[in-house]
Amino acid sequence: MSLIDLSKHVALGIDIGGTNTKFGVVNHRGEVLEKGYLKTDEYEKVEDFIDALYEKIQPLIESHGKEKNFDGIGVGAPNGNYYKGTIEQAPNLPWKGVVPFGEMMTAKFNMPCTVTNDANAAAFGEMLFGAARGMKDFIMITLGTGVGSGIVASGKLIYGHDGFAGELGHTIVKPGGRKHWSTGSEGSLEAYASATGIAITAKKMRAEFPESMLSQFPEEEINSKTVYECAVKGDPISIEVFRYTGQKLGEALANFVMFSSPEAILLFGGVIKAGDFILKPTKLHMERNLLPIFRNKVKLVFSELNEADAAILGASALVWEK
Amino acid sequence: MSLIDLSKHVALGIDIGGTNTKFGVVNHRGEVLEKGYLKTDEYEKVEDFIDALYEKIQPLIESHGKEKNFDGIGVGAPNGNYYKGTIEQAPNLPWKGVVPFGEMMTAKFNMPCTVTNDANAAAFGEMLFGAARGMKDFIMITLGTGVGSGIVASGKLIYGHDGFAGELGHTIVKPGGRKHWSTGSEGSLEAYASATGIAITAKKMRAEFPESMLSQFPEEEINSKTVYECAVKGDPISIEVFRYTGQKLGEALANFVMFSSPEAILLFGGVIKAGDFILKPTKLHMERNLLPIFRNKVKLVFSELNEADAAILGASALVWEK
C-alpha cells in the first residue's frame, strides 16, 4: 500500500483547438472518467469562453469531488507557454495578443493550472500512457492541418529559455522551396508534411498527370484522405504524393535525430492514416541522411493513443509533472 | 564560510585532439594551475598513450596533491560517449573501434574519470567559466577543421538516449548539396561552415573569378586564414566566401533555434577569427529564417574563453558536474 491513495486523485485535462475544445476528468492510470467539449470559435472573448467552460465542468467537479481530489488543471493550446501560463499570438484562436490563460483559469476554478502547447501535451500523454512509456528521449511529431512537435530529453520536455522550443514544423527542409501559406517562409517541413501541404502536392501532381485517379475528384476534394483512397486502389500518382511527402519528412527527421539522438520518433495525427504509404519512404530517407552512428537505432512509430483522447490525457498529465 | 573548502579541490582536464592532447590542473574558479601537452598521433596503441599521459601528469598530481584534493579526471574527445566512458569509431584518432577510455584511465590513475565529446566539453566550460555563465539554454557551435556542437537545455547537456546527441555539423542544410569528403553525405553544415568547407568554397570562387586577390596564393595556401587576409584588404570575392558561409550557417542556426529555443548561440573555434565577415551574414540569415516569435531574441556571440584553455576547462568541469 502506498501512503497516498492515488486512485482518489484526478486531474482536469483541456485541449484547446481552433474549432473545438475538448476536456476530460482523468485518473492516474490515464483513464478518462468523463469527457465533453465546446466550440472554441463561438467565444470571441476569452472571459466568455472560460465562463462557458466552467458551466460545463463545474458539475463534473462537484459530482466527482465527493470521493476524488482534483489536483489541478492542465491545458494544451496552440502557442501555449509553459513558463508564463499564457497563450500568445495563436493564429488559429479567436483571442489575440498575450492571454494570461492559466491565471484566469485558476481564478475561476480555484485550482492550479498548467499551460503548454498542444504538441507538448500530446508528447507528455504519450510518455505517460502511450507508445513512449518508459522512454526518456523521444520526439513527437504531430501531422495534422499543421505540423507540431514535442521534444523530450532525459525525461523532460524541452521548453527553451522562453517556453517556445519545439517548433519543428517550421524548420526549413528545402531552402528556397514551397512558400508557406501563413508564415511566408520558404521550404518549411509544414509546407510539405502537413495535411495542407499534402493537398498542395496532390493538386500539383494532379494537374501535371491528368491520367491520375485524382482527376476524378473536383479540386476542392483533394486532401490527404482522397489521396489515400486513390493510393489504396493503386494509383501511382497518389502513391508518389505520399512518397514525396515521406522523403521531405524523413530528411527533416534525420536532422532532428542528429540534434537530440532520441530512442524513438512518434508520429501522430490525421496524416498517419496513410500508413505505410508515408511511413516507408519516411524511414528510408531518414536512415539515408543519418551519420552511421545513428543508423538503424531510432524507432519510427505511430502513436498508440486514441487521437481524440491523447491531447486530454497529455494535458491532464501536466498536472502531475509539476 | 562553506563547510567544504573548495579552494583545496582541483580536477584534471584533458582535451584529446587528432594531433595534440592538452591537459591541465584546474581549480573551481576555472584557473588552469598547470598545463602541458603530448602528441596524440605518436601513440598507435591507446595503452601507450595512457602510459605517456601518466608519466607527464603523475608528477603534477604528486606536487599539487600535498595541499589539494584531486576530485577526478574529465576528458573531452572526438566521439567521446558520456554514458559509457568510451571513445567510439573516432575518425581522426589512431585508436580504432570502441575504446573503454574512462575505465582505462581510472585503472591507471586511480581516480573517477568522465568522458564526453570535445564540443560538449567546450560547451560545459563556456557555461561554467565563459560567455554562457548563468545561461540554462544555449547551443555551442565549434567551427574548426570540422563543425561540432554542444547543446544545453535547462542547464543540462543533451546527450540523447545513447550519448551521441549534438552532431549538428552533420545536419543537412542543402539537400543534394556539396558532398562531404569523409561521410559522403550531401549538403551538411560541416561541408560549408568548417575551415575545410571554407577552403573548398574559396578554391571554387578563385577558379571562377581569377581577378580575385586569392589568385596571388598557390592552391594549397587557400584556407580560412588567407581568405580572411584578402577580405581585410577589401577583396570582394573573399568577402563573398564568408558571406556565403555565413548564409549556410545562419540557415542552419535558424533550424536549431526552432528546436530548442536557446537564449544564445555561442560560436567557437578558428573560423570565428573572420569576425564580422562571417558573423553579420550569419545573423542576417538566421533571423530571416526564424518564425516571428523567435526573432531578435537569440544572442549570437563569440566564445569568451581562450581557445587553448577552453577545452581543458570544459573537460575539468565535467568532474564537478557529476
Side-chain angles (χ1 to χ4, degrees), chain B residues 92-154:
Chain B
N92 303 319
L93 295 183
W95 325 308
K96 298 307 163 202
V98 177
V99 179
F101 197 82
E103 259 173 44
M104 296 172 79
M105 288 291 286
T106 295
K108 188 79 187 179
F109 285 82
N110 197 27
M111 270 187 225
C113 178
T114 307
V115 176
T116 194
N117 86 41
D118 41 356
N120 282 347
F124 215 66
E126 214 60 61
M127 181 162 60
L128 268 92
F129 307 117
R133 253 172 305 183
M135 289 187 192
K136 285 181 170 283
D137 297 272
F138 70 95
I139 297 176
M140 168 106 173
I141 305 283
T142 64
L143 301 162
T145 314
V147 173
S149 62
I151 306 158
V152 173
S154 299

Side-chain angles (χ1 to χ4, degrees), chain A residues 39-57:
Chain A
K39 289 266 171 208
T40 317
D41 53 9
E42 282 179 3
Y43 303 91
E44 246 177 72
K45 288 172 68 180
V46 66
E47 290 81 2
D48 296 341
F49 173 77
I50 289 175
D51 286 346
L53 257 183
Y54 188 80
E55 290 277 309
K56 293 224 174 193
I57 293 174

Side-chain angles (χ1 to χ4, degrees), chain A residues 8-27:
Chain A
K8 288 206 193 292
H9 287 255
V10 292
L12 200 57
I14 302 178
D15 174 52
I16 302 179
T19 312
N20 289 310
T21 291
K22 296 170 220 152
F23 56 83
V25 175
V26 181
N27 70 14

